Amino acid sequence: MSDAVGTLGTSPAPTQAEATSPRVHTRDGAVLHAHPGESVLETLERHGHSVEFQCRSGYCGACRTPLLAGKVHYPSVPLAFVSQGECLPCCCKPVGAIRLDIQPLDSQKE
């Protein structure tokens, strides 16, 4: 599974809950806080991002997304191939902070 590691830029000091909660950083600088037990795809959708997916279980690989920094956890091993530096948002959960290479919200609306 993916274990891309990197550093994230500085941001305002997080609250205690934010400091320990998983979060997804997008390439446009947005910080999306994940709810407990939520997949990365569910976090993205809750914040208005549109990500291509077909299965929500790691079977097809349609949601394969570049993972620029951080680590994700797969509660169940996905059947779709995942290279280092990638993740399947439909079935993974962020471990702390991750950074994804996804389109900014503004460009998704066009």
Side-chain angles (χ1 to χ4, degrees):
M1 300 323 126
S2 181
D3 63 350
V5 179
T7 58
L8 300 175
T10 59
S11 60
T15 66
Q16 178 62 29
E18 291 173 341
T20 59
S21 72
R23 55 206 179 280
V24 177
H25 295 253
T26 63
R27 76 171 158 197
D28 64 341
V31 179
L32 316 176
H33 293 278
H35 288 167
E38 188 172 61
S39 72
V40 172
L41 177 61
E42 291 166 334
T43 300
L44 292 168
E45 290 176 330
R46 189 167 45 78
H47 286 88
H49 286 270
S50 177
V51 177
E52 176 65 33
F53 70 92
Q54 296 296 319
C55 68
R56 289 191 182 264
S57 62
Y59 180 75
C60 71
C63 66
R64 187 174 285 111
T65 301
L67 177 63
L68 303 176
K71 293 184 179 188
V72 299
H73 167 71
Y74 293 90
S76 299
V77 178
L79 294 177
F81 181 76
V82 184
S83 294
Q84 187 155 357
E86 295 179 332
C87 70
L88 299 175
C90 75
C91 62
C92 71
K93 300 177 187 315
V95 177
I98 65 171
R99 184 178 300 278
L100 299 178
D101 187 11
I102 61 171
Q103 293 293 327
L105 277 174
D106 293 342
S107 66
Q108 289 184 0
K109 295 176 183 175
E110 295 174 357

